[in-house]
Amino acid sequence: MATIRLIDIAVNFTDGMFKGIYHGKQCHASDIATVLSRAWSSGVDRIIVTGGSLEESKEALAIAETDGRLFCTVGVHPTRCKEFEESGDPEKHFQALLSLAKEGIEKGKVVAIGECGLDYDRLHFCPSEIQRKCFEKQFELAYATKLPMFLHMREAAADFCAIVERNKDRFTGGVTHSFTGSAEDRDKLLTFNNMYIGINGCSLKTAENLDVVRGIPIERMMIETDSPYCEIKNAHAGISFVKSTWPSKKKEKYDQDSLVKGRNEPCLVRQVLEVVDGCKGINDIDQLSRTLYHNTCRVFFPQDLDSAADALLAGRRNTP
């Protein structure tokens, strides 16, 4: 059987849970190295570490520099857009993000601007008007760096798509990650050339979610964990398609040979692959993984596109 190669496009390694901290309490030592070892042995061969603020983006870059297979994003999450004003000098804050992105590009580590977008589900963190202004501003980062965008859209499809439409010539492409929207939202996103949709456990919770995923062409899809969040839980509709499992223990009984119960991690991106394969009735996990890998390289690692894979995929698509 062909070896499955996976890229997890969204891992929040800056989150306290990967430092062993849960709800402010230290439960075990930092274990990113252990988590990475498990990911590499499960077929993951690249991970994009998510940045969601200026400081978090700095930390994401520092983490990415520890391993040749790690990369990262630079940007400000919609729920944290107040940081521009709170910095006391929004333009200086923007320039600091731009400088960090350029530094990361030179190091071969920063592959996208983000995580940015709109989140109207959590307006208590940041009002919608500030989110919109901040989202629009970050297209300037994408334009200046020529990087793709790593995007967040929650309960805000109309405004999100309007802003993307206005700025569609300012960025090279991107992914709307952790997609949980409706079929209508999906179809709006797919009207944008070079926009991909990122699927994780939160995208696979309900029967309705699975119906929406069935309508995403695999040529326009990427997969992710968004760990330590968005695991596929036993109560989720997608669980029936999961084939790969790992032992887990509660954080209080931490064991490096087991997953922490309730904490998602990159090795589990394989489960997302299995659910997509099963719910779409593809039943060819090797070919599906190649297509998704190719999609991800096309956007985030264009220098690594394999021309032979290109030819293979083109041949498959053209086969009657």
Side-chain angles (χ1 to χ4, degrees), residues 254-315:
Y254 181 81
D255 173 359
Q256 67 173 16
D257 294 326
S258 299
L259 276 64
V260 175
K261 194 178 290 290
R263 182 186 73 171
N264 200 5
E265 60 176 75
C267 68
L268 295 172
V269 74
R270 189 181 180 105
Q271 292 185 340
V272 180
L273 177 73
E274 290 167 353
V275 178
V276 171
D277 180 68
C279 86
K280 285 177 76 71
I282 296 169
N283 299 319
D284 187 347
I285 208 161
D286 294 332
Q287 177 60 23
L288 174 62
S289 68
R290 280 194 293 272
T291 302
L292 298 175
Y293 193 96
H294 180 84
N295 295 345
T296 309
C297 286
R298 179 175 286 162
V299 175
F300 297 119
F301 307 103
Q303 70 281 9
D304 295 339
L305 275 178
D306 185 330
S307 57
D310 251 336
L312 175 67
L313 285 162

Side-chain angles (χ1 to χ4, degrees), residues 179 222 315:
F179 181 74
M222 297 182 195

Side-chain angles (χ1 to χ4, degrees), residues 74-111:
V74 168
V76 181
H77 190 281
T79 60
R80 299 191 216 153
C81 286
K82 283 182 178 178
E83 73 172 47
F84 281 89
E85 293 294 336
E86 289 172 352
S87 72
D89 189 339
E91 185 55 32
K92 185 179 177 183
H93 199 75
F94 173 83
Q95 292 299 329
L97 284 163
L98 179 58
S99 175
L100 181 65
K102 288 181 174 178
E103 175 194 341
I105 291 168
E106 287 176 11
K107 291 176 174 177
K109 288 297 180 181
V110 172
V111 295

Side-chain angles (χ1 to χ4, degrees), residues 8 15 50 56 63 77 92 100 106 146 221 228 295:
D8 188 346
D15 190 275
T50 309
E56 200 176 82
I63 292 169
H77 190 281
K92 185 179 177 183
L100 181 65
E106 287 176 11
K146 301 293 180 278
M221 185 187 292
N295 295 345

Side-chain angles (χ1 to χ4, degrees), residues 80-258:
R80 299 191 216 153
C81 286
K82 283 182 178 178
E83 73 172 47
F84 281 89
E85 293 294 336
E86 289 172 352
S87 72
D89 189 339
E91 185 55 32
K92 185 179 177 183
H93 199 75
F94 173 83
Q95 292 299 329
L97 284 163
L98 179 58
S99 175
L100 181 65
K102 288 181 174 178
E103 175 194 341
I105 291 168
E106 287 176 11
K107 291 176 174 177
K109 288 297 180 181
V110 172
V111 295
I113 296 302
E115 177 177 359
C116 58
L118 299 176
D119 189 322
Y120 290 0
D121 193 41
R122 290 179 279 181
L123 291 173
H124 51 287
F125 288 119
C126 185
S128 59
E129 61 272 16
I130 295 177
Q131 289 190 31
R132 288 192 293 272
K133 182 180 176 182
C134 181
F135 183 25
E136 197 111 34
K137 184 73 173 172
Q138 290 182 81
F139 283 92
E140 294 181 28
L141 288 175
Y143 184 72
T145 58
K146 301 293 180 278
L147 286 175
M149 298 189 80
F150 182 80
L151 300 167
H152 177 104
M153 183 183 84
R154 188 76 73 240
E155 303 296 335
D159 284 355
F160 178 95
C161 290
I163 291 172
V164 172
E165 176 65 33
R166 278 200 299 275
N167 293 277
K168 64 183 179 184
D169 296 327
R170 308 192 79 193
F171 72 112
T172 59
V175 61
T176 302
H177 100 109
S178 193
F179 181 74
T180 58
S182 66
E184 182 184 5
D185 296 343
R186 171 199 69 203
D187 294 343
K188 279 184 186 174
L189 291 175
L190 292 172
T191 65
F192 296 110
N193 290 333
N194 219 19
M195 177 70 79
Y196 292 74
I197 297 178
I199 300 301
N200 62 32
C202 289
S203 316
L204 306 166
K205 285 183 177 181
T206 68
E208 183 185 7
N209 290 153
L210 295 184
D211 280 341
V212 172
V213 168
R214 288 185 186 101
I216 303 171
I218 61 169
E219 291 82 10
R220 300 290 295 278
M221 185 187 292
M222 297 182 195
I223 54 173
E224 57 178 90
T225 56
D226 205 22
S227 49
Y229 317 110
C230 295
E231 66 176 330
I232 300 173
K233 297 181 179 178
N234 287 334
H236 291 175
I239 195 71
S240 61
F241 299 108
V242 169
K243 296 174 182 174
S244 301
T245 58
W246 284 257
S248 65
K249 292 187 177 180
K250 291 181 178 178
K251 57 186 181 293
E252 293 82 5
K253 297 183 177 180
Y254 181 81
D255 173 359
Q256 67 173 16
D257 294 326
S258 299

